[in-house]
Amino acid sequence: MEKISFFGLGNMGGPMAANLVRAGYEVCVFDLVPSAVEELVNLGATKAETPEEVVKGANVIISMLPAGKHVASLYEGLIGSSEPTNANLSKGALVIDCSTIDAGTIQSLSVKLEQIGVNCIDAPVSGGVAGATNGTLSFMVGGNEKSFNQAKSLLEVMGKNVFHAGDVGAGQIAKVCNNMLLSILMVGTSEALQLGIDNGLDPKVLSEIMSNSSGSNWTLDVYNPCPGVQETAPASNDYKPGFMTNLMLKDLGLAMDTAVNSGSATPMGSLTRNMYALHQKLGNGDLDFSSIFKQFSQK
């Protein structure tokens, strides 16, 4: 059984680490929020006071952090004093970064880690807090075949779908493509539902019609943005996330940066990113991203 170090115990990382503990893995955790650490310790994890202590003797290091600067700071700090006689990271260990960040950051870190004999993959996720809690996340993995195969059984403890997208960084590209499309679908679904409502249709009836017709899509069928249509959707719970607007806007920013770097045309993605930026400025950043429906339903 691998010894796992886990950094980042927020809304996503906490449940992910908990699923590893429940599966019987030896997990040492670290987070800047003491209560998050104690919650995992109560489940059977161990804790350490510094990142260096957390990774000591670990075969696998998993991180789920807010942004690229946090990921870079963590691993560059650990690499900084990794001389052969005083190494923080064990040679042959595997780093699995599950954060959603720019591909360039993880690609650069991968090179630095490889120089000290540590393998690295990026494995951003889709599925939200519910997926993290239930162990049904989808992982989009970038890395070589050997590292992917080494990580797969661990990722399957935390998720139900594990995809090998390509080399290091490919997971991040797949993630921003997926979330750009998701946001476009959410805006389009909200617009169509409100058009029906404005013309006298019951949104439940209209949703059923579209779900069984060519307009069917995940945001309509599983995550309906109209309050009262689906009892389990955030829309029917005052838009409590879920997946916050702030996070969707972050991912759309990464998608736009990726498009600029590759010279790709993303007119729908750009428009949707601007709509979510406005939605955030209107005070909806902490609400679920499906709350974009409010921009169409306001009178």
Side-chain angles (χ1 to χ4, degrees), residues 87-139:
N88 290 317
L89 297 165
S90 302
K91 190 173 183 179
L94 174 65
V95 165
I96 305 174
D97 182 50
C98 297
S99 318
T100 297
I101 62 175
D102 61 290
T105 292
I106 195 65
Q107 289 166 339
S108 176
L109 281 173
S110 176
V111 172
K112 295 175 182 178
L113 288 165
E114 286 175 4
Q115 290 173 348
I116 61 169
V118 175
N119 301 311
C120 176
I121 64 174
D122 56 304
V125 305
S126 178
V129 175
T133 301
N134 298 326
T136 57
L137 293 169
S138 291
F139 287 89

Side-chain angles (χ1 to χ4, degrees), residues 4 6 12-13 15-20 62 96 98 125 131-139 151-162:
I4 301 170
F6 204 111
M12 296 293 292
M16 291 166 64
N19 284 331
L20 290 171
I62 302 175
I96 305 174
C98 297
V125 305
T133 301
N134 298 326
T136 57
L137 293 169
S138 291
F139 287 89
K152 189 176 180 183
S153 61
L154 280 176
L155 299 180
E156 287 175 338
V157 173
M158 299 179 284
K160 68 175 182 178
N161 298 305
V162 181

Side-chain angles (χ1 to χ4, degrees), residues 42-83:
N42 290 338
L43 288 176
T46 59
K47 67 177 180 178
E49 299 303 319
T50 67
E52 291 78 11
E53 291 177 21
V54 175
V55 300
K56 187 176 181 180
N59 309 101
V60 179
I61 301 95
I62 302 175
S63 47
M64 179 56 114
L65 302 174
K69 63 181 180 180
H70 304 111
V71 175
S73 176
L74 170 65
Y75 289 108
E76 287 175 359
L78 292 171
I79 292 169
S81 57
S82 288
E83 297 86 359

Side-chain angles (χ1 to χ4, degrees), residues 215-280:
S216 176
N217 68 82
W218 186 86
T219 64
L220 174 73
D221 303 338
V222 178
Y223 214 84
N224 198 292
C226 181
V229 173
Q230 288 174 343
E231 189 176 324
T232 57
S236 298
N237 190 27
D238 297 323
Y239 292 108
K240 293 178 182 176
F243 187 64
M244 288 191 298
T245 291
N246 288 334
L247 296 178
M248 177 56 83
L249 186 57
K250 169 202 163 188
D251 289 1
L252 285 168
L254 291 171
M256 294 304 99
D257 291 343
T258 302
V260 169
N261 290 337
S262 60
S264 304
T266 54
M268 294 297 293
S270 179
L271 175 60
T272 303
R273 188 251 166 220
N274 286 332
M275 292 185 68
Y276 271 99
L278 176 61
H279 190 54
Q280 180 196 58

Side-chain angles (χ1 to χ4, degrees), residues 6-54:
F6 204 111
F7 291 93
L9 305 174
N11 291 335
M12 296 293 292
M16 291 166 64
N19 284 331
L20 290 171
V21 173
R22 292 188 185 102
Y25 287 96
E26 182 183 350
V27 182
C28 187
V29 298
F30 184 88
D31 194 275
L32 297 178
V33 179
S35 59
V37 173
E38 290 308 314
E39 187 172 339
L40 265 295
V41 170
N42 290 338
L43 288 176
T46 59
K47 67 177 180 178
E49 299 303 319
T50 67
E52 291 78 11
E53 291 177 21
V54 175

